[in-house]
Amino acid sequence: MTEIKSHEFERFAENPAERFRVFVLYGPDRGLVSERAGVIAKKTGIDPDDAFASLKLTASDLQGDPGRLLDEVNAIGLFGGEKLVWVKGAAAEKALVDALQILAETPPEASFLIIEAGDIKKGTGLRKIAEPARSIAAIPCYADDARSLNALIDQELSADNLRIAPAARQRLIESLGGDRIASRNEIRKLALYCRGADVVEEDDVLAIIGDASTVSADDAVDAILKGDRNAFFHATQKIVSSKTPIFLVLQGCLKQFQLLDQMRAEMDEKKLQAGQVMQTLGRHIHFRRKPIIERALRTWQPAAIAREMNRLQAAILQSRQRQSLEESVALLTLLSTTLQSGRGG
C-alpha cells in the first residue's frame, strides 16, 4: 500500500518520479488536487505544455474508447523520450478504472500518468485499485486544517517579507479553507495590498477579505439547508449590500456539506440515527442550528451530498479564477443548492 499522507507530501514531492510512474490524486479539495498534480508534473521533467511530449485529457475523453488511455500511456513520444499523460476530472469511469487495474500490474516504462479525481469513497473506483497497489502513488487531498492554513499563510507572506499580527492571522484563517487554490489566491491578494509594509494587521484583512462578523453567513447557509428561498434571498441581499464577500457563504456552505458527508458516513457505517450522530460529531454546533442540521441529515443522501460538494468546489474555483463573476457564480450555485434542499436533496 502506497498512500501519501498530507504531512508526507512535501518530502515525497522532492522526487516523486524516482519511484513511481502512476499517480492518483483525489479528495474534496479540488484546488489542492490540482496544485499537487502540477507539482508532480513539474518533477517528471516533462513540459506539460509540450504537445509532442505530453497529453492532457478529461475523463469524458475516454468514454466510448476504453482502450485509449492504455494506448496513450504506452505510445512513444513523437520525438522519442518520456511522455506525460495527465487526466483531469476523473471519478468512477469504468474505462479509467479498468485501465488503472492493468497499469497497477504492469506500470509504463517510458511514460508518466497523473490522474486528478474528486472525492471518492474509500474502497471504491480508483481508490480501490490505487491504494493497495505498490506501483501507484495514491495521494488524498483534504481541505486544509488550521495547521496547514497557518503554514500556507507564512509561506505566501514571507515571499513578500511580511509578518502577520495574531489577530489578523485569526481573522484570515476564518476566511480561508475549502479549496487550496482559492485560499492561496486570497493570501496573495492580501500580500499585494500590504506590499511595502512590515506587518499585516487585522484592518488589512478586513479591507481585503471582508468582515463576516456583523453579517453572519450562517443565516444564508441555514436558509440553504432548509430549502427556504425567501430566507435565502433575504440573507444574501443583506450580505451583498453590506459589501461582505458572497464567497464566504459559498465557503461556509461547502464546509457544512463536508460535515454532512462525514456525519452521513458515520450514520451508514454504524447504523445510527441523525440525533445520535449530532451528539458526537455535532457537539460544536450552536444549539439553534442543530435541528436544521439534523433535518438535512435525514433528507440528503450520500450521493447527493457528494454531488453538491463537487458543484460548490467548482464554483469556488471559478469565482477565484474569474473574480468579476464571483457574485453571479456564487448566487446561482447557492440558489440551486437551496432548491435541491427544498426538494429533499
Side-chain angles (χ1 to χ4, degrees):
M1 180 175 181
T2 312
E3 181 180 336
I4 312 301
K5 305 290 187 183
S6 289
H7 68 277
E8 300 171 335
F9 181 79
E10 191 169 330
R11 184 173 181 180
F12 168 79
E14 292 175 1
N15 198 357
E18 183 179 49
R19 182 180 168 192
F20 296 98
R21 288 277 172 175
V22 181
F23 307 86
V24 177
L25 301 97
Y26 57 87
D29 191 332
R30 286 192 176 195
L32 187 55
V33 168
S34 179
E35 182 174 287
R36 287 180 171 174
V39 170
I40 292 171
K42 185 176 181 180
K43 290 293 185 176
T44 65
I46 302 171
D47 184 358
D49 296 322
D50 183 352
F52 298 111
S54 65
L55 175 67
K56 292 183 180 180
L57 300 168
T58 63
S60 59
D61 292 331
L62 304 174
Q63 293 179 356
D65 191 357
R68 182 179 179 187
L69 183 60
L70 291 176
D71 290 341
E72 296 290 0
V73 169
N74 292 318
I76 299 174
L78 186 60
F79 296 108
E82 295 182 320
K83 181 179 180 181
L84 171 64
V85 179
W86 193 341
V87 181
K88 295 175 176 283
E93 294 80 7
K94 188 176 185 303
L96 196 53
V97 173
D98 291 346
L100 191 65
Q101 179 68 71
I102 295 172
L103 292 170
E105 299 168 1
T106 312
E109 296 182 358
S111 297
F112 293 98
L113 173 62
I114 298 174
I115 299 176
E116 290 186 31
D119 194 13
I120 306 171
K121 295 293 183 183
K122 187 174 181 63
T124 64
L126 296 171
R127 287 186 67 176
K128 185 177 181 180
I129 307 300
E131 289 180 341
R134 293 184 177 274
S135 59
I136 300 175
I139 305 171
C141 301
Y142 297 105
D144 288 312
D145 56 16
R147 179 180 177 182
S148 300
L149 287 174
N150 274 309
L152 184 64
I153 290 169
D154 291 336
Q155 177 189 12
E156 290 296 329
L157 294 183
S158 63
D160 286 284
N161 297 315
L162 286 167
R163 292 176 293 110
I164 184 167
R169 182 185 292 272
Q170 183 60 39
R171 178 72 70 176
L172 182 56
I173 287 176
E174 291 171 357
S175 303
L176 301 177
D179 184 279
R180 169 65 71 86
I181 290 178
S183 295
R184 192 182 293 278
N185 287 342
E186 289 298 300
I187 300 169
R188 286 178 177 175
K189 185 169 65 174
L190 176 64
L192 180 63
Y193 177 79
C194 295
R195 186 166 292 173
D198 294 322
V199 180
V200 177
E201 301 290 353
E202 186 175 12
D203 287 344
D204 300 321
V205 177
L206 295 178
I208 293 300
I209 307 299
D211 182 6
S213 61
T214 54
V215 183
S216 174
D218 284 348
D219 291 341
V221 173
D222 288 348
I224 292 166
L225 291 178
K226 290 188 292 185
D228 189 334
R229 284 179 294 175
N230 291 333
F232 168 76
F233 288 133
H234 179 69
T236 52
Q237 185 178 24
K238 284 176 61 179
I239 289 170
V240 170
S241 62
S242 71
K243 305 299 182 182
T244 299
I246 195 69
F247 168 79
L248 294 177
V249 183
L250 202 58
Q251 177 183 267
C253 192
L254 174 60
K255 288 182 177 179
Q256 191 64 77
F257 271 89
Q258 289 171 337
L259 178 60
L260 287 178
D261 185 54
Q262 183 182 1
M263 288 178 163
R264 280 295 318 208
E266 185 84 356
M267 287 172 61
D268 295 342
E269 182 180 342
K270 298 183 179 179
K271 308 299 181 184
L272 301 176
Q273 297 297 317
Q276 293 173 296
V277 174
M278 289 295 297
Q279 293 175 9
T280 55
L281 297 180
R283 284 180 299 178
H284 65 285
I285 298 172
H286 193 280
F287 73 92
R288 291 181 180 175
R289 301 190 66 234
K290 286 186 176 182
I292 299 170
I293 308 300
E294 190 170 333
R295 175 185 176 276
L297 280 171
R298 290 194 294 265
T299 56
W300 281 88
Q301 297 302 310
I305 292 173
R307 182 192 66 228
E308 290 305 309
M309 286 195 299
N310 284 334
R311 287 194 334 103
L312 289 164
Q313 287 160 351
I316 286 174
L317 186 56
Q318 186 180 0
S319 70
R320 297 297 89 184
Q321 291 173 332
R322 304 181 65 184
Q323 292 195 354
S324 61
L325 299 178
E326 177 181 320
E327 186 174 313
S328 298
V329 169
L331 289 174
L332 285 173
T333 302
L334 294 169
L335 177 58
S336 176
T337 306
T338 304
L339 296 176
Q340 289 291 337
S341 291
R343 290 194 287 265

